[in-house]
Amino acid sequence: MKIAFTSCMNFEAGLDGFQRVWNRIAVEQPDYLFLLGDQIYMDYFPHLGKPAGWNAEEFRAAMTAKYTAQWNVPNFRMLFNAMRLRQGVDGGVYGTWDDHDFAWNNACGTQVSAPVKAVTRELFSRFMKIDPPTAGIYYAVPLRQGPQKIGKAIFLDTRWYRDVPGDGNTLLGEDQFRFLEAELKDEDGLVLICAGTPIRATGNGWMRYRDDYARFRQITYGRNIIFLSGDIHENAFLPPPGETRLFEVISSGAFVTKYKYVGDRENFGILDYTPGGLIDIKLFDRHGLEKHNTIRNTDFAYEELL
């Protein structure tokens, strides 16, 4: 089973409307495509935060135009539609959002009005074709290799319930924590947890929410988990901290630069799972293979190959 994962696509960064990264992903012939946030950019430097002043209808018009532009990129649309044909069988397209496709830069759900949140959720569901029966965007899907179920991917929402950073402030919210506990309870196969906000790979990550992060660690303690995320416009592979068994793997920058408007980073990751063997994780940038690690299924020990 092969999963392609990436994040951060700023259509306006391209002058010709072509994003080569989707051709490179298609060559890998993945079974799944995970889009892990910032599928569009409602704001970008030097206009960060501008959408915060819009009403719901202004927001709807701007967000619809940005989604439409990204979904009209020919090679992205071709890959998206091809992967969707396998939805729920032994592959498909799944994902979640982060700040720029939820509202604006560093947006917290507690600071976004209910009408705007309703618009953003509606449009995310329409274009991504994901509509879980929850307030935010969190859900789980079985991972299959042919007819065999080998585990599950759990997608979390780190924006809808989020408060400003603070030790006792909310990141996930009570309902989402209960959902996560229930999804992990009886799962003994491969577990992937996916979210728009990284845990340790950014200064704006989960550790700024001390209590929620501690609860997350308690829920996941002792389990073999791979956490996939985006956001930072870089690739990263972080081994488990301390005595935990949670790897953090980031692929960010499918079509966006680190600091400026124009550029094509072409960052994406490939997770290739062989039951009873290895989890092979490759991270690519515009020059080719950037990082390569393997994790043994038996004991979750890892080896850095590049």
Side-chain angles (χ1 to χ4, degrees):
M1 178 201 67
K2 186 181 289 189
I3 298 170
F5 58 99
T6 190
S7 62
C8 303
M9 300 111 72
N10 182 18
F11 174 82
E12 295 174 0
L15 301 180
D16 58 4
F18 184 76
Q19 300 173 354
R20 196 169 72 96
V21 65
W22 310 115
N23 290 11
R24 297 179 62 202
I25 290 175
V27 168
E28 297 290 330
Q29 297 184 308
D31 303 298
Y32 294 88
L33 174 63
F34 289 177
L35 301 176
L36 302 178
D38 296 340
Q39 275 71 260
I40 58 169
Y41 275 74
M42 287 298 291
D43 60 345
Y44 204 74
F45 179 83
H47 304 295
L48 296 175
K50 184 177 179 180
W54 298 345
N55 63 36
E57 289 311 306
E58 291 173 310
F59 210 93
R60 177 185 296 277
M63 180 170 266
T64 300
K66 288 177 181 289
Y67 268 120
T68 300
Q70 177 59 47
W71 260 247
N72 279 340
V73 173
N75 53 343
F76 172 74
R77 183 175 65 244
M78 184 177 300
L79 177 63
F80 186 92
N81 290 342
M83 300 298 295
R84 280 283 308 172
L85 290 175
R86 302 178 62 174
Q87 199 81 357
V89 181
D90 58 352
V93 182
Y94 300 95
T96 188
W97 55 18
D98 198 30
D99 51 348
H100 294 282
D101 52 346
F102 167 67
W104 52 79
N105 184 56
N106 290 332
C108 299
T110 58
Q111 299 177 314
V112 179
S113 71
V116 168
K117 288 171 78 172
V119 167
T120 65
R121 196 193 184 293
E122 173 195 334
L123 293 177
F124 179 93
S125 298
R126 181 198 307 176
F127 283 88
M128 286 288 291
K129 302 186 185 302
I130 295 168
D131 190 14
T134 55
I137 303 293
Y138 58 96
Y139 59 98
V141 295
L143 297 173
R144 302 185 183 278
Q145 189 162 27
Q148 180 185 4
K149 179 181 178 292
I150 58 178
K152 70 171 55 171
I154 301 170
F155 292 85
L156 299 181
D157 185 335
T158 51
R159 291 294 164 181
W160 188 270
Y161 299 102
R162 187 186 193 124
D163 201 351
V164 296
D167 287 348
N169 289 355
T170 297
L171 177 65
L172 296 184
E174 184 63 31
D175 289 347
Q176 197 168 188
F177 269 122
R178 291 178 180 174
F179 157 81
L180 178 60
E181 289 178 313
E183 290 296 331
L184 289 174
K185 183 177 180 181
D186 297 319
E187 180 56 59
D188 57 4
L190 173 68
V191 174
L192 306 179
I193 296 180
C194 308
T197 300
I199 296 175
R200 295 176 289 140
T202 174
N204 290 318
W206 292 45
M207 288 185 289
R208 298 189 70 187
Y209 298 83
R210 183 198 61 197
D211 293 353
D212 269 19
Y213 179 50
R215 184 171 176 182
F216 175 79
R217 286 187 59 152
Q218 181 182 35
I219 292 171
T220 58
Y221 185 79
R223 299 191 65 105
N224 295 341
I225 292 174
I226 298 176
F227 181 93
L228 302 179
S229 189
D231 177 59
I232 62 174
H233 300 183
E234 295 177 355
N235 293 325
F237 180 94
L238 282 69
E243 296 180 355
T244 68
R245 302 176 68 81
L246 185 148
F247 287 86
E248 183 173 3
V249 186
I250 312 295
S251 185
S252 170
F255 193 73
V256 69
T257 58
K258 180 73 175 173
Y259 300 111
K260 299 179 181 179
Y261 274 113
V262 180
D264 187 353
R265 291 180 70 78
E266 297 186 31
N267 289 353
F268 68 96
I270 296 291
L271 185 153
D272 195 349
Y273 175 85
T274 303
L278 294 174
I279 304 168
D280 187 85
I281 299 175
K282 296 177 181 177
L283 297 172
F284 297 85
D285 63 14
R286 64 190 178 91
H287 302 294
L289 182 61
E290 181 186 24
K291 301 178 187 293
H292 187 190
N293 293 267
T294 59
I295 303 170
R296 285 199 304 262
N297 287 331
T298 51
D299 58 4
F300 239 47
Y302 79 99
E303 181 179 2
E304 182 176 336
L305 303 179
L306 180 64

